[in-house]
C-alpha cells in the first residue's frame, strides 16, 4: 500500500470514528457489543478510557515508516447503527495494517475479551480492506483464532438483544 493511500484510508477511518461519536444516529461502543456476549465486568475500563483520551500521535508516520504501532479509532455503520471504539494497538507495516491487539492489564480472559479484539479486527478489515492478525495482549500475546466468525456472531447476538430488549445506544 502506498504512503498516500495509507494516509487517505487512515483519514477516512478517523472521519468515520468522528461521525460515529457525534451523530444522532444509533451508536454502540465495541465494549458494549462485547459485553452483550458475556456477563463480565470491564476490569480495566476506567484505565482504558484514560489511555484512549490521549492524543494519537503523528499518524502520518503510518505512510512514511517501515513499521508503526499506534492506537487507532475505528468505526463502521451497520444497518442497526454505528459500532465504534479505539483499538489499543494497530501494527502497520509499509502502510498496511497487519495486526490489531487488544491490551489488557490481566491475563485471565473471559468471553468478552476475545470478542472485543475480534470486533476491532472486523472494523479494521472493513476500514482498510485487509485481514489482520488479531491478538489479546497481557503479559503474553494470545492470537484470537476464528475472529471473523466470532465478531459476526457477537454482532448477531447484540442485534437480537437490541430488538428484544430495546438496548439504548450511548448517544
Amino acid at each position: 500500500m502506498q504512503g498516500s493511500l495509507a494516509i487517505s484510508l487512515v483519514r477516512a477511518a478517523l472521519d468515520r470514528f468522528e461521525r460515529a461519536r457525534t451523530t444522532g444516529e444509533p451508536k454502540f461502543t465495541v465494549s458494549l457489543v462485547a459485553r452483550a456476549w458475556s456477563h463480565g465486568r470491564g476490569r480495566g475500563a476506567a484505565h482504558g478510557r484514560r489511555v484512549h483520551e490521549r492524543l494519537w500521535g503523528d499518524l502520518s508516520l503510518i505512510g512514511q515508516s517501515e513499521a508503526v504501532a499506534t492506537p487507532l479509532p475505528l468505526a463502521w455503520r451497520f444497518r442497526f447503527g454505528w459500532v465504534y471504539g479505539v483499538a489499543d494497538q494497530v501494527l502497520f507495516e509499509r502502510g498496511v495494517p497487519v495486526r490489531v491487539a487488544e491490551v489488557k492489564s490481566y491475563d485471565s480472559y473471559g468471553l468478552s475479551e476475545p470478542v472485543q479484539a475480534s470486533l476491532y479486527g472486523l472494523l479494521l478489515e472493513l476500514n482498510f480492506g485487509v485481514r489482520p492478525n488479531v491478538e489479546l495482549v497481557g503479559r503474553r500475546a494470545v492470537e484470537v483464532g476464528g475472529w471473523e466468525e466470532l465478531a459476526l456472531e457477537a454482532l448477531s447476538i447484540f442485534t437480537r438483544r437490541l430488538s428484544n430488549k430495546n438496548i439504548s445506544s450511548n448517544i
Side-chain angles (χ1 to χ4, degrees):
M1 192 176 292
Q2 291 181 322
S4 60
L5 176 58
I7 294 304
S8 74
L9 289 174
V10 168
R11 284 194 181 117
L14 294 175
D15 288 346
R16 274 188 212 91
F17 179 81
E18 193 57 31
R19 279 199 315 269
R21 248 182 19 87
T22 60
T23 185
E25 296 177 68
K27 57 187 171 185
F28 309 93
T29 64
V30 166
S31 297
L32 179 66
V33 176
R35 271 196 310 266
W37 181 268
S38 71
H39 302 291
R41 296 177 181 217
R43 292 180 277 180
H47 175 70
R49 279 191 294 277
R50 284 192 304 275
V51 168
H52 291 313
E53 287 171 0
R54 296 182 184 154
L55 295 175
W56 316 122
D58 185 1
L59 294 179
S60 67
L61 292 175
I62 290 169
Q64 301 168 4
S65 303
E66 204 51 40
V68 173
T70 183
L72 188 65
L74 295 165
W76 197 259
R77 173 81 171 81
F78 296 92
R79 283 181 287 162
F80 61 88
W82 287 94
V83 174
Y84 71 104
V86 180
D88 288 336
Q89 286 290 296
V90 175
L91 174 63
F92 287 84
E93 291 180 350
R94 293 176 297 286
V96 178
V98 296
R99 181 179 68 89
V100 61
E102 181 61 22
V103 179
K104 299 298 179 186
S105 58
Y106 47 88
D107 285 329
S108 63
Y109 307 126
L111 294 174
S112 65
E113 287 88 352
V115 170
Q116 187 177 10
S118 297
L119 288 165
Y120 283 123
L122 181 63
L123 292 177
L124 195 65
E125 184 174 50
L126 292 169
N127 276 272
F128 290 86
V130 297
R131 186 178 191 281
N133 291 324
V134 174
E135 295 180 344
L136 280 168
V137 178
R139 280 177 248 168
R140 59 185 172 79
V142 177
E143 188 168 343
V144 178
W147 64 263
E148 288 167 312
E149 294 83 5
L150 187 55
L152 294 173
E153 181 66 18
L155 288 171
S156 175
I157 289 169
F158 181 75
T159 56
R160 280 197 305 272
R161 288 185 180 176
L162 255 181
S163 60
N164 291 340
K165 294 182 180 180
N166 197 17
I167 296 173
S168 63
S169 64
N170 13 349
I171 295 176

